[in-house]
CSV table of all heavy atoms in Angstrom, one decimal:
chain,number,residue,atom,x,y,z
A,155,SER,N,5.5,11.6,-2.7
A,155,SER,CA,6.4,12.6,-2.5
A,155,SER,C,7.6,12.2,-1.7
A,155,SER,O,8.8,12.5,-2.0
A,155,SER,CB,5.8,13.8,-1.8
A,155,SER,OG,6.7,14.9,-1.5
A,156,GLU,N,7.4,11.5,-0.6
A,156,GLU,CA,8.5,11.1,0.3
A,156,GLU,C,9.4,10.1,-0.3
A,156,GLU,O,10.6,10.1,-0.1
A,156,GLU,CB,7.9,10.5,1.6
A,156,GLU,CG,7.3,11.5,2.5
A,156,GLU,CD,6.6,10.9,3.8
A,156,GLU,OE1,6.6,9.6,3.9
A,156,GLU,OE2,6.1,11.6,4.6
A,157,GLU,N,8.9,9.2,-1.2
A,157,GLU,CA,9.7,8.1,-1.7
A,157,GLU,C,10.3,8.5,-3.1
A,157,GLU,O,11.4,8.0,-3.4
A,157,GLU,CB,8.8,6.9,-1.9
A,157,GLU,CG,8.4,6.2,-0.6
A,157,GLU,CD,7.7,5.0,-0.8
A,157,GLU,OE1,7.7,4.4,-1.9
A,157,GLU,OE2,7.1,4.5,0.3
A,158,THR,N,9.7,9.3,-3.9
A,158,THR,CA,10.1,9.6,-5.2
A,158,THR,C,10.4,11.1,-5.5
A,158,THR,O,11.0,11.4,-6.5
A,158,THR,CB,9.1,9.1,-6.3
A,158,THR,OG1,7.9,10.0,-6.3
A,158,THR,CG2,8.7,7.7,-6.0
A,159,GLY,N,9.8,12.0,-4.7
A,159,GLY,CA,10.0,13.4,-5.0
A,159,GLY,C,8.9,13.9,-6.0
A,159,GLY,O,8.9,15.1,-6.3
A,160,LEU,N,8.1,13.0,-6.6
A,160,LEU,CA,7.1,13.4,-7.5
A,160,LEU,C,5.9,14.0,-6.8
A,160,LEU,O,5.6,13.7,-5.7
A,160,LEU,CB,6.6,12.2,-8.3
A,160,LEU,CG,7.6,11.5,-9.2
A,160,LEU,CD1,7.0,10.2,-9.8
A,160,LEU,CD2,8.1,12.4,-10.3
A,161,ASP,N,5.2,15.0,-7.5
A,161,ASP,CA,4.1,15.6,-7.0
A,161,ASP,C,2.8,15.1,-7.8
A,161,ASP,O,2.7,15.4,-8.9
A,161,ASP,CB,4.2,17.1,-7.1
A,161,ASP,CG,3.0,17.9,-6.4
A,161,ASP,OD1,2.0,17.2,-6.0
A,161,ASP,OD2,3.2,19.1,-6.2
A,162,LEU,N,2.0,14.4,-7.1
A,162,LEU,CA,0.8,13.8,-7.8
A,162,LEU,C,-0.1,14.9,-8.3
A,162,LEU,O,-1.0,14.7,-9.1
A,162,LEU,CB,0.0,12.8,-6.9
A,162,LEU,CG,0.8,11.5,-6.7
A,162,LEU,CD1,-0.1,10.6,-5.8
A,162,LEU,CD2,1.1,10.8,-7.9
A,163,SER,N,0.0,16.1,-7.7
A,163,SER,CA,-0.8,17.3,-8.2
A,163,SER,C,-0.4,17.6,-9.7
A,163,SER,O,-1.2,18.3,-10.3
A,163,SER,CB,-0.6,18.5,-7.3
A,163,SER,OG,-1.0,18.2,-6.0
A,164,ASP,N,0.7,17.2,-10.1
A,164,ASP,CA,1.2,17.5,-11.5
A,164,ASP,C,0.6,16.4,-12.5
A,164,ASP,O,0.8,16.6,-13.7
A,164,ASP,CB,2.7,17.4,-11.6
A,164,ASP,CG,3.4,18.6,-10.8
A,164,ASP,OD1,2.7,19.6,-10.6
A,164,ASP,OD2,4.5,18.4,-10.4
A,165,ALA,N,-0.1,15.4,-12.0
A,165,ALA,CA,-0.6,14.4,-12.8
A,165,ALA,C,-2.1,14.5,-13.0
A,165,ALA,O,-2.8,15.1,-12.1
A,165,ALA,CB,-0.3,13.0,-12.2
A,166,ALA,N,-2.6,14.0,-14.1
A,166,ALA,CA,-4.1,14.0,-14.3
A,166,ALA,C,-4.7,12.7,-13.7
A,166,ALA,O,-4.1,11.6,-13.8
A,166,ALA,CB,-4.4,14.1,-15.8
A,167,THR,N,-5.9,12.9,-13.1
A,167,THR,CA,-6.6,11.7,-12.6
A,167,THR,C,-8.1,11.9,-12.8
A,167,THR,O,-8.6,13.1,-12.7
A,167,THR,CB,-6.3,11.4,-11.2
A,167,THR,OG1,-7.0,10.3,-10.7
A,167,THR,CG2,-6.6,12.6,-10.3
A,168,ASP,N,-8.8,10.9,-13.1
A,168,ASP,CA,-10.3,11.0,-13.2
A,168,ASP,C,-11.0,10.8,-11.9
A,168,ASP,O,-12.2,10.9,-11.8
A,168,ASP,CB,-10.8,10.1,-14.3
A,168,ASP,CG,-10.5,8.6,-14.0
A,168,ASP,OD1,-10.1,8.3,-12.8
A,168,ASP,OD2,-10.7,7.8,-14.9
A,169,GLY,N,-10.3,10.6,-10.8
A,169,GLY,CA,-10.9,10.4,-9.5
A,169,GLY,C,-11.5,9.1,-9.2
A,169,GLY,O,-11.9,8.8,-8.1
A,170,ARG,N,-11.5,8.2,-10.2
A,170,ARG,CA,-12.0,6.8,-9.9
A,170,ARG,C,-11.2,6.1,-8.9
A,170,ARG,O,-9.9,6.1,-9.0
A,170,ARG,CB,-12.2,6.1,-11.2
A,170,ARG,CG,-13.2,6.8,-12.2
A,170,ARG,CD,-13.0,6.2,-13.6
A,170,ARG,NE,-13.5,4.8,-13.7
A,170,ARG,CZ,-13.3,4.1,-14.8
A,170,ARG,NH1,-12.6,4.5,-15.8
A,170,ARG,NH2,-13.8,2.8,-14.8
A,171,ILE,N,-11.8,5.3,-8.1
A,171,ILE,CA,-11.1,4.5,-7.1
A,171,ILE,C,-11.4,3.0,-7.4
A,171,ILE,O,-12.6,2.7,-7.6
A,171,ILE,CB,-11.5,4.8,-5.6
A,171,ILE,CG1,-11.3,6.3,-5.4
A,171,ILE,CG2,-10.8,4.0,-4.6
A,171,ILE,CD1,-9.8,6.7,-5.3
A,172,PHE,N,-10.4,2.2,-7.3
A,172,PHE,CA,-10.5,0.8,-7.5
A,172,PHE,C,-9.9,0.0,-6.3
A,172,PHE,O,-9.2,0.6,-5.5
A,172,PHE,CB,-9.7,0.4,-8.8
A,172,PHE,CG,-10.2,1.1,-10.0
A,172,PHE,CD1,-9.6,2.3,-10.4
A,172,PHE,CD2,-11.1,0.5,-10.9
A,172,PHE,CE1,-10.0,3.0,-11.5
A,172,PHE,CE2,-11.5,1.2,-12.0
A,172,PHE,CZ,-11.0,2.4,-12.4
A,173,ALA,N,-10.4,-1.2,-6.2
A,173,ALA,CA,-10.0,-2.0,-5.1
A,173,ALA,C,-9.4,-3.4,-5.5
A,173,ALA,O,-9.9,-3.9,-6.5
A,173,ALA,CB,-11.2,-2.3,-4.1
A,174,SER,N,-8.4,-3.8,-4.8
A,174,SER,CA,-7.8,-5.2,-5.1
A,174,SER,C,-7.6,-5.8,-3.7
A,174,SER,O,-6.8,-5.3,-2.9
A,174,SER,CB,-6.5,-5.0,-5.9
A,174,SER,OG,-5.9,-6.3,-6.0
A,175,TYR,N,-8.3,-6.9,-3.5
A,175,TYR,CA,-8.2,-7.6,-2.2
A,175,TYR,C,-7.7,-9.0,-2.3
A,175,TYR,O,-8.1,-9.8,-3.1
A,175,TYR,CB,-9.6,-7.6,-1.5
A,175,TYR,CG,-9.7,-8.4,-0.3
A,175,TYR,CD1,-9.2,-7.9,0.9
A,175,TYR,CD2,-10.2,-9.7,-0.3
A,175,TYR,CE1,-9.2,-8.7,2.1
A,175,TYR,CE2,-10.2,-10.5,0.9
A,175,TYR,CZ,-9.8,-9.9,2.1
A,175,TYR,OH,-9.8,-10.7,3.2
A,176,ARG,N,-6.7,-9.3,-1.4
A,176,ARG,CA,-6.2,-10.7,-1.3
A,176,ARG,C,-5.6,-10.8,0.1
A,176,ARG,O,-4.9,-10.0,0.6
A,176,ARG,CB,-5.3,-11.0,-2.4
A,176,ARG,CG,-4.0,-10.2,-2.5
A,176,ARG,CD,-3.1,-10.5,-3.7
A,176,ARG,NE,-2.7,-11.9,-3.6
A,176,ARG,CZ,-1.6,-12.3,-2.8
A,176,ARG,NH1,-1.0,-11.4,-2.1
A,176,ARG,NH2,-1.3,-13.5,-2.8
A,177,MET,N,-5.8,-12.0,0.7
A,177,MET,CA,-5.1,-12.4,1.9
A,177,MET,C,-5.2,-11.3,3.0
A,177,MET,O,-4.2,-10.9,3.6
A,177,MET,CB,-3.6,-12.7,1.6
A,177,MET,CG,-3.3,-13.8,0.7
A,177,MET,SD,-3.7,-15.4,1.4
A,177,MET,CE,-2.4,-15.6,2.6
A,178,SER,N,-6.4,-10.8,3.2
A,178,SER,CA,-6.7,-9.8,4.2
A,178,SER,C,-6.0,-8.5,4.0
A,178,SER,O,-6.0,-7.6,4.9
A,178,SER,CB,-6.3,-10.3,5.6
A,178,SER,OG,-7.0,-11.5,5.9
A,179,LYS,N,-5.6,-8.2,2.8
A,179,LYS,CA,-4.9,-7.0,2.4
A,179,LYS,C,-5.8,-6.3,1.3
A,179,LYS,O,-6.0,-6.9,0.3
A,179,LYS,CB,-3.5,-7.2,2.0
A,179,LYS,CG,-2.6,-7.8,3.1
A,179,LYS,CD,-1.2,-8.1,2.5
A,179,LYS,CE,-0.3,-8.8,3.5
A,179,LYS,NZ,-0.7,-10.2,3.7
A,180,LEU,N,-6.1,-5.0,1.5
A,180,LEU,CA,-7.0,-4.3,0.6
A,180,LEU,C,-6.2,-3.1,0.0
A,180,LEU,O,-5.9,-2.2,0.8
A,180,LEU,CB,-8.2,-3.9,1.2
A,180,LEU,CG,-9.2,-3.0,0.4
A,180,LEU,CD1,-9.7,-3.8,-0.8
A,180,LEU,CD2,-10.4,-2.5,1.2
A,181,ALA,N,-5.9,-3.1,-1.2
A,181,ALA,CA,-5.3,-2.0,-1.9
A,181,ALA,C,-6.3,-1.1,-2.5
A,181,ALA,O,-7.2,-1.7,-3.3
A,181,ALA,CB,-4.3,-2.5,-3.0
A,182,LEU,N,-6.3,0.2,-2.3
A,182,LEU,CA,-7.2,1.1,-2.9
A,182,LEU,C,-6.4,1.9,-3.9
A,182,LEU,O,-5.5,2.6,-3.6
A,182,LEU,CB,-7.9,2.0,-1.9
A,182,LEU,CG,-8.8,1.3,-0.9
A,182,LEU,CD1,-9.4,2.3,0.2
A,182,LEU,CD2,-9.9,0.5,-1.6
A,183,LEU,N,-6.8,1.8,-5.2
A,183,LEU,CA,-6.0,2.4,-6.3
A,183,LEU,C,-6.7,3.6,-6.9
A,183,LEU,O,-7.9,3.7,-7.0
A,183,LEU,CB,-5.9,1.3,-7.4
A,183,LEU,CG,-5.9,-0.2,-7.1
A,183,LEU,CD1,-5.9,-1.0,-8.3
A,183,LEU,CD2,-4.6,-0.5,-6.3
A,184,GLN,N,-5.8,4.5,-7.4
A,184,GLN,CA,-6.2,5.6,-8.2
A,184,GLN,C,-5.1,5.8,-9.2
A,184,GLN,O,-3.9,5.7,-8.9
A,184,GLN,CB,-6.4,6.9,-7.4
A,184,GLN,CG,-7.0,8.0,-8.3
A,184,GLN,CD,-7.5,9.2,-7.4
A,184,GLN,OE1,-7.0,9.4,-6.3
A,184,GLN,NE2,-8.4,10.0,-7.9
A,185,ILE,N,-5.4,6.0,-10.5
A,185,ILE,CA,-4.5,6.2,-11.6
A,185,ILE,C,-4.1,7.7,-11.7
A,185,ILE,O,-5.0,8.5,-11.8
A,185,ILE,CB,-5.0,5.6,-12.9
A,185,ILE,CG1,-5.3,4.1,-12.8
A,185,ILE,CG2,-4.0,5.9,-14.0
A,185,ILE,CD1,-6.0,3.5,-14.0
A,186,PHE,N,-2.8,7.9,-11.8
A,186,PHE,CA,-2.3,9.3,-12.0
A,186,PHE,C,-1.4,9.3,-13.2
A,186,PHE,O,-0.4,8.6,-13.3
A,186,PHE,CB,-1.5,9.7,-10.7
A,186,PHE,CG,-2.3,9.8,-9.5
A,186,PHE,CD1,-2.4,8.7,-8.7
A,186,PHE,CD2,-2.9,11.0,-9.1
A,186,PHE,CE1,-3.1,8.8,-7.5
A,186,PHE,CE2,-3.6,11.1,-7.9
A,186,PHE,CZ,-3.8,10.0,-7.2
A,187,ARG,N,-1.8,10.1,-14.2
A,187,ARG,CA,-1.1,10.1,-15.5
A,187,ARG,C,-0.3,11.4,-15.6
A,187,ARG,O,-0.8,12.5,-15.7
A,187,ARG,CB,-2.1,10.0,-16.7
A,187,ARG,CG,-3.0,8.7,-16.6
A,187,ARG,CD,-3.8,8.6,-17.8
A,187,ARG,NE,-4.7,7.4,-17.7
A,187,ARG,CZ,-4.3,6.2,-18.0
A,187,ARG,NH1,-3.1,5.9,-18.5
A,187,ARG,NH2,-5.2,5.1,-17.9
A,188,PHE,N,1.0,11.2,-15.8
A,188,PHE,CA,1.9,12.3,-16.0
A,188,PHE,C,2.2,12.6,-17.5
A,188,PHE,O,2.2,11.6,-18.3
A,188,PHE,CB,3.3,12.0,-15.3
A,188,PHE,CG,3.3,12.2,-13.8
A,188,PHE,CD1,2.9,11.2,-13.0
A,188,PHE,CD2,3.8,13.4,-13.3
A,188,PHE,CE1,2.9,11.4,-11.6
A,188,PHE,CE2,3.8,13.6,-11.9
A,188,PHE,CZ,3.3,12.5,-11.1
A,189,GLU,N,2.3,13.8,-17.8
A,189,GLU,CA,2.7,14.2,-19.2
A,189,GLU,C,4.2,14.2,-19.4
A,189,GLU,O,4.8,15.1,-19.9
A,189,GLU,CB,2.1,15.6,-19.5
A,189,GLU,CG,0.6,15.7,-19.6
A,189,GLU,CD,0.1,17.0,-19.9
A,189,GLU,OE1,0.9,17.9,-20.2
A,189,GLU,OE2,-1.2,17.1,-20.0
A,190,LEU,N,4.8,13.1,-19.0
A,190,LEU,CA,6.2,12.8,-19.1
A,190,LEU,C,6.4,11.4,-19.6
A,190,LEU,O,5.6,10.5,-19.2
A,190,LEU,CB,6.9,13.0,-17.7
A,190,LEU,CG,6.8,14.3,-17.0
A,190,LEU,CD1,7.3,14.2,-15.6
A,190,LEU,CD2,7.6,15.4,-17.8
A,191,THR,N,7.4,11.2,-20.3
A,191,THR,CA,7.8,9.8,-20.7
A,191,THR,C,8.3,9.1,-19.5
A,191,THR,O,8.7,9.6,-18.5
A,191,THR,CB,8.8,9.8,-21.9
A,191,THR,OG1,10.1,10.3,-21.3
A,191,THR,CG2,8.4,10.6,-23.1
A,192,ALA,N,8.4,7.7,-19.7
A,192,ALA,CA,8.9,6.9,-18.6
A,192,ALA,C,10.3,7.3,-18.3
A,192,ALA,O,10.7,7.4,-17.1
A,192,ALA,CB,8.8,5.4,-19.0
A,193,ASP,N,11.1,7.6,-19.3
A,193,ASP,CA,12.5,7.9,-19.0
A,193,ASP,C,12.6,9.3,-18.3
A,193,ASP,O,13.4,9.4,-17.4
A,193,ASP,CB,13.3,8.1,-20.4
A,193,ASP,CG,13.7,6.8,-21.0
A,193,ASP,OD1,13.6,5.7,-20.3
A,193,ASP,OD2,14.0,6.7,-22.2
A,194,GLU,N,11.7,10.2,-18.6
A,194,GLU,CA,11.7,11.5,-17.9
A,194,GLU,C,11.3,11.3,-16.4
A,194,GLU,O,11.8,11.9,-15.5
A,194,GLU,CB,10.8,12.5,-18.6
A,194,GLU,CG,11.3,12.9,-20.0
A,194,GLU,CD,10.3,13.7,-20.8
A,194,GLU,OE1,9.1,13.5,-20.6
A,194,GLU,OE2,10.7,14.5,-21.6
A,195,VAL,N,10.3,10.5,-16.2
A,195,VAL,CA,9.8,10.2,-14.8
A,195,VAL,C,11.0,9.5,-14.0
A,195,VAL,O,11.3,9.9,-12.9
A,195,VAL,CB,8.6,9.3,-14.7
A,195,VAL,CG1,8.2,9.0,-13.3
A,195,VAL,CG2,7.4,10.1,-15.4
A,196,LEU,N,11.6,8.5,-14.6
A,196,LEU,CA,12.7,7.8,-14.0
A,196,LEU,C,13.9,8.8,-13.7
A,196,LEU,O,14.5,8.7,-12.6
A,196,LEU,CB,13.2,6.7,-14.8
A,196,LEU,CG,12.2,5.5,-15.0
A,196,LEU,CD1,12.8,4.4,-15.8
A,196,LEU,CD2,11.7,5.0,-13.7
A,197,ALA,N,14.1,9.7,-14.6
A,197,ALA,CA,15.2,10.7,-14.4
A,197,ALA,C,14.9,11.6,-13.2
A,197,ALA,O,15.8,11.9,-12.4
A,197,ALA,CB,15.5,11.5,-15.6
A,198,ARG,N,13.7,12.0,-13.0
A,198,ARG,CA,13.3,12.8,-11.9
A,198,ARG,C,13.5,12.1,-10.6
A,198,ARG,O,14.0,12.6,-9.6
A,198,ARG,CB,11.8,13.3,-12.0
A,198,ARG,CG,11.6,14.4,-13.1
A,198,ARG,CD,10.3,15.1,-12.9
A,198,ARG,NE,10.0,16.1,-13.8
A,198,ARG,CZ,9.0,17.0,-13.8
A,198,ARG,NH1,8.1,16.8,-12.8
A,198,ARG,NH2,8.8,17.9,-14.7
A,199,ILE,N,13.0,10.8,-10.6
A,199,ILE,CA,13.2,10.0,-9.4
A,199,ILE,C,14.6,9.8,-9.1
A,199,ILE,O,15.0,9.9,-7.9
A,199,ILE,CB,12.4,8.7,-9.5
A,199,ILE,CG1,10.9,9.0,-9.6
A,199,ILE,CG2,12.7,7.8,-8.3
A,199,ILE,CD1,10.1,7.7,-9.9
A,200,GLY,N,15.4,9.6,-10.1
A,200,GLY,CA,16.9,9.4,-9.9
A,200,GLY,C,17.5,10.6,-9.3
A,200,GLY,O,18.4,10.4,-8.4
A,201,ARG,N,17.2,11.8,-9.7
A,201,ARG,CA,17.7,13.0,-9.1
A,201,ARG,C,17.3,13.1,-7.6
A,201,ARG,O,18.1,13.6,-6.8
A,201,ARG,CB,17.3,14.2,-9.9
A,201,ARG,CG,18.0,14.3,-11.3
A,201,ARG,CD,17.8,15.6,-11.9
A,201,ARG,NE,16.4,15.9,-12.3
A,201,ARG,CZ,15.8,15.6,-13.4
A,201,ARG,NH1,16.5,15.0,-14.4
A,201,ARG,NH2,14.5,15.8,-13.7
A,202,PHE,N,16.1,12.7,-7.3
A,202,PHE,CA,15.6,12.8,-6.0
A,202,PHE,C,16.4,11.9,-5.1
A,202,PHE,O,16.8,12.3,-4.0
A,202,PHE,CB,14.1,12.5,-5.9
A,202,PHE,CG,13.5,12.5,-4.6
A,202,PHE,CD1,13.2,13.7,-4.0
A,202,PHE,CD2,13.2,11.3,-3.9
A,202,PHE,CE1,12.6,13.8,-2.7
A,202,PHE,CE2,12.6,11.4,-2.6
A,202,PHE,CZ,12.3,12.6,-2.0
Side-chain angles (χ1 to χ4, degrees):
S155 176
E156 291 177 355
E157 294 185 11
T158 71
L160 297 175
D161 186 348
L162 290 181
S163 299
D164 295 334
T167 181
D168 59 12
R170 297 164 70 191
I171 303 293
F172 302 86
S174 173
Y175 172 76
R176 60 183 300 280
M177 298 291 288
S178 301
K179 302 177 182 71
L180 176 63
L182 296 178
L183 325 172
Q184 189 170 21
I185 300 174
F186 296 88
R187 300 186 184 276
F188 281 84
E189 293 184 357
L190 299 169
T191 66
D193 285 345
E194 289 170 332
V195 176
L196 295 183
R198 285 196 179 187
I199 296 173
R201 289 193 294 270
F202 180 76

